[in-house]
Amino acid sequence: MLDIAEDLSRWFEEGRDFAVATVVAVSGSAPRGPGAALAVSGDGTAIGSVSGGCVEGAVYDLCVQALQDGRTVRERFGYDDEDAFAVGLTCGGVIEVLVTPVRADAPVFRAGVAAAVRGEPAALARVARGPVELLGRALLVHPDGSCEGGLDGAPELDRTAAAEAHAMLDTGRTGTVEIAEDGSRCPGGVTLFVESRMPPPRMIVFGAVDFATALVRAGKFLGYHVTVCDARPVFATRVRFPEADELVVDWPHRYLRRTATDGRTVLCVLTHDVKFDVPLLETALRLPVAFVGAMGSRRTHEDRDRRLREVGLSSRELSRLRSPIGLDLGARTPEETALSIAAEIVAAHRGGTGAPLTGSGTPIHHEAKGREAGGTHSRTAA
């Protein structure tokens, strides 16, 4: 529902009750993804869309019904080969829609919409599947970990839901997560739909080498917006890096000085060339970013460390450098190396040790430092 926040904000200000239908799951081909929403006010005005037209009429009726009876429902729409004219998606996919009545004085929804309008990061977690009495309950999570609202379940349920929503907010993701009714992280019992309003964190890979190709894929898998930067136009090409969000041909240190970074940004230096590495790392290690790592042998690291001290970096600044980059997995191929780098990035972000869990006695889940198909339609009601 946060994708139509500006319109909903006006409805809140006008004191309108409304019902909002949100796509919470998609399988196969579908016109719109999770988070797409359609809302209907008490006077019948509709805003937004969940399917680009295929099932809007049926979803509109569900919203009207939710306004009348105050019940949250979950509905599935798909394509029925036996009756192509039934209500469903002609594209052949399946969407699941959560329809929730919202009063004009609902504090959690109002706060979530207001944060989205102001452009402030926030994650709105709602119970999309679970016990009837919990369906549609909402919790708003802010980047600092503070929360508004609650799911009205077991005492640990809110805490776990907030932690999972915060983890998804970290990477700007919207989607579902399953937890148990008692608040444990075992899948099943309760499905949360989390809408995040935060741009994904950046991963900037310097050096358009073979290892970078695999690292780009790993970065995308982890939810990063990935940029590849290299001063050599013959290597920094879309053919070599089809999955990168951005390709930049520029001297690495010059690009880093002019591009936007923040406390979630990850910098991976794979250039293997002193004329690139030293000015780049001199800049990188003085920025308030989350992670700075550089590839190279032990000998390369020692030479690099000496050169960086010569240009004036302090021991404290140099202590931030993860070099050689990656965890010791015995990696050999570019894909294995990318996995080792990605593992170190996750461990650094989540406070993990990188040690095997077997026999370690360390927590499996660390606290956040600051995540069906078939039929034409069916309903779960609360």
Side-chain angles (χ1 to χ4, degrees):
M1 64 181 284
L2 299 185
D3 71 334
I4 53 173
E6 290 195 8
D7 289 316
L8 294 182
S9 177
R10 286 193 292 271
W11 285 2
F12 274 122
E13 292 302 319
E14 294 167 2
R16 298 197 199 188
D17 295 343
F18 59 88
V20 59
T22 306
V23 176
V24 297
V26 171
S27 61
S29 176
R32 305 202 64 198
L38 180 148
V40 179
S41 67
D43 65 1
T45 301
I47 56 173
S49 170
V50 294
S51 71
C54 300
V55 299
E56 305 298 319
V59 174
Y60 180 94
D61 290 342
L62 288 173
C63 288
V64 171
Q65 185 64 41
L67 279 167
Q68 293 173 352
D69 60 26
R71 301 170 70 202
T72 295
V73 299
R74 180 182 174 121
E75 184 102 5
R76 175 179 299 168
F77 295 91
Y79 183 78
D80 189 339
D81 290 329
E82 296 181 0
D83 184 3
F85 294 100
V87 176
L89 299 178
T90 56
C91 54
V94 175
I95 64 171
E96 297 191 31
V97 178
L98 186 71
V99 183
T100 306
V102 179
R103 295 184 57 85
D105 59 356
V108 178
F109 291 106
R110 190 179 185 116
V113 165
V117 170
R118 292 192 299 265
E120 297 174 357
L124 182 65
R126 286 182 281 168
V127 178
R129 189 190 300 277
V132 169
E133 64 273 14
L134 299 185
L135 200 64
R137 300 289 186 183
L139 180 72
L140 184 67
V141 179
H142 300 283
D144 63 0
S146 62
C147 304
E148 299 179 56
L151 306 184
D152 296 335
E156 288 298 311
L157 185 60
D158 280 0
R159 180 177 177 180
T160 302
E164 295 293 339
H166 192 274
M168 294 185 73
L169 180 60
D170 273 350
T171 55
R173 290 183 174 179
T174 289
T176 57
V177 60
E178 293 188 9
I179 57 180
E181 288 183 50
D182 62 4
S184 63
R185 287 181 166 88
C186 300
V190 174
T191 299
L192 298 177
F193 178 70
V194 182
E195 291 180 81
S196 293
R197 297 291 288 187
M198 176 179 280
R202 297 191 67 189
M203 172 186 284
I204 308 178
V205 180
F206 296 99
V209 298
D210 289 344
F211 290 99
T213 305
L215 184 56
V216 167
R217 292 197 295 270
K220 293 295 294 178
F221 179 76
L222 291 177
Y224 286 92
H225 177 96
V226 183
T227 300
V228 176
C229 175
D230 197 299
R232 303 164 296 178
V234 68
F235 294 113
T237 66
R238 184 57 64 184
V239 172
R240 286 168 56 81
F241 297 96
E243 295 175 82
D245 294 293
E246 294 179 283
L247 289 174
V248 176
V249 178
D250 199 351
W251 279 75
H253 70 284
R254 187 164 59 192
Y255 172 68
L256 184 56
R257 287 172 183 168
R258 65 178 171 82
T259 194
T261 59
D262 60 25
R264 301 181 300 148
T265 302
V266 167
L267 306 178
C268 299
V269 181
L270 313 183
T271 46
H272 273 148
D273 191 324
V274 171
K275 68 176 179 291
F276 294 130
D277 287 5
V278 172
L280 171 59
L281 290 171
E282 182 184 1
T283 300
L285 292 172
R286 287 171 172 159
L287 291 175
V289 295
F291 181 97
V292 182
M295 181 176 280
S297 65
R298 300 286 183 190
R299 180 177 297 177
T300 298
H301 170 70
E302 292 173 2
D303 179 67
R304 183 191 288 139
D305 183 84
R306 177 182 59 79
R307 291 175 184 272
L308 289 170
R309 291 181 186 277
E310 289 175 354
V311 297
L313 264 70
S314 66
S315 296
R316 181 177 181 180
E317 290 167 333
L318 286 168
S319 69
R320 299 181 56 215
L321 177 60
R322 295 175 179 269
S323 174
I325 192 172
L327 299 184
D328 181 9
L329 305 183
R332 290 291 183 270
T333 68
E335 289 74 18
E336 290 172 347
T337 301
L339 178 62
S340 77
I341 295 171
E344 185 177 24
I345 290 170
V346 172
H349 178 55
R350 298 297 182 193
T353 64
L357 291 173
T358 303
S360 68
T362 59
I364 295 175
H365 298 286
H366 293 257
E367 293 298 326
K369 292 173 69 177
R371 126 146 245 67
E372 309 165 63
T376 301
H377 62 283
S378 58
R379 179 180 301 178
T380 303

